[in-house]
Amino acid sequence: MTGRARVDHAVSSGTFSLDGETFEVDNNIWVVGDDEECIVIDAPHSVDDILAVVGQRRVNAIVCTHAHDDHVRVAPALREAVNGGAGAPILLHPDDRPLWELTHTDHLWDVDLSDGQEITVAGTTLRVLHTPGHAPGAVCLHAPDLDCVFTGDTLFNGGPGATGRSFSDRPTLEDSIRAKLFDLPDDTVVHTGHGDDTTIGAEAAALGR
């Protein structure tokens, strides 16, 4: 049965490593689609956790919001596991190649993401917003039909993502948020890479437009 696109969600637990430090983290898994087809947003710690959300649906793409290891670690394995082994393309912004290569040294993603690019699944369109700062190639995915935006680690419930590590920059991140996210409707639900949802209006009030 097909129908209006929906957002499905789960949480997967594992580690995040960068700059010689490792932390335990819980990552959100987001899947957008209907009963027949979907896209997966990020591929954190466990292929099985992701496949439990996907079910028997066709996966059109694995879209990575950025290339920190806790968001792309199982992307290649997931690529091979979906669609009966036929695979699905991994999409990533090319500015995140240095981060990707910290985790995956022997293969790249399949398709470059770009600002303004549109990804359509189950009759709904997600628009790519390049939001550097947390990572050079970080992107958010705005789904106006679903009244939501998937922000990865760019914007959380409580403010901007972390910028204390390699390849990150706080002023760049805040500029990205103000330029690309705070123009969205205030009631847009923010689905984050970690933790609880928030809204554009709540975060704009806290950070200041």
Side-chain angles (χ1 to χ4, degrees):
M1 176 183 174
T2 58
R4 184 174 184 266
R6 66 180 186 272
V7 178
D8 294 311
H9 171 244
V11 176
S12 187
S13 300
T15 61
F16 162 63
S17 298
L18 188 63
D19 297 338
E21 295 184 276
T22 297
F23 306 89
E24 296 288 331
V25 289
D26 294 330
N27 285 60
N28 290 320
I29 297 166
W30 300 106
V31 177
V32 181
D34 59 14
D35 290 343
E36 301 294 331
E37 64 177 10
C38 64
I39 63 168
V40 175
I41 298 173
D42 288 334
H45 314 290
S46 164
V47 170
D48 287 344
D49 286 352
I50 299 167
L51 292 180
V53 184
V54 168
Q56 299 302 309
R57 291 180 283 179
R58 181 176 70 256
V59 176
N60 294 349
I62 302 158
V63 186
C64 300
T65 61
H66 63 293
H68 283 150
D69 64 351
D70 59 320
H71 291 257
V72 302
R73 181 175 289 113
V74 302
L78 182 65
R79 172 173 57 188
E80 303 307 317
V82 299
N83 302 334
I90 300 169
L91 282 61
L92 178 74
H93 194 286
D95 287 357
D96 256 19
R97 181 168 182 158
L99 284 168
W100 173 274
E101 290 179 340
L102 293 176
T103 304
H104 301 298
T105 58
D106 54 349
H107 39 234
L108 294 175
W109 60 97
D110 302 291
V111 179
D112 287 347
L113 291 172
S114 60
D115 188 57
Q117 179 179 347
E118 294 186 341
I119 300 167
T120 300
V121 61
T124 199
T125 297
L126 293 84
R127 186 164 61 94
V128 176
L129 308 174
H130 182 210
T131 52
H134 177 72
V139 302
C140 299
L141 302 167
H142 179 219
D145 293 346
L146 302 177
D147 301 314
C148 67
V149 60
F150 301 89
T151 56
D153 291 1
T154 291
L155 182 65
F156 290 128
N157 184 329
T163 51
R165 302 189 180 280
S166 298
F167 305 102
S168 66
D169 181 74
R170 178 77 177 200
T172 300
L173 178 59
E174 291 190 0
D175 287 348
S176 292
I177 291 169
R178 290 192 172 100
K180 296 293 181 65
L181 297 181
F182 285 174
D183 281 344
L184 302 179
D186 279 355
D187 60 355
T188 302
V189 175
V190 178
H191 294 312
T192 63
H194 309 269
D196 295 332
D197 290 347
T198 182
T199 65
I200 290 296
E203 299 311 319
L207 185 63
R209 281 192 165 92

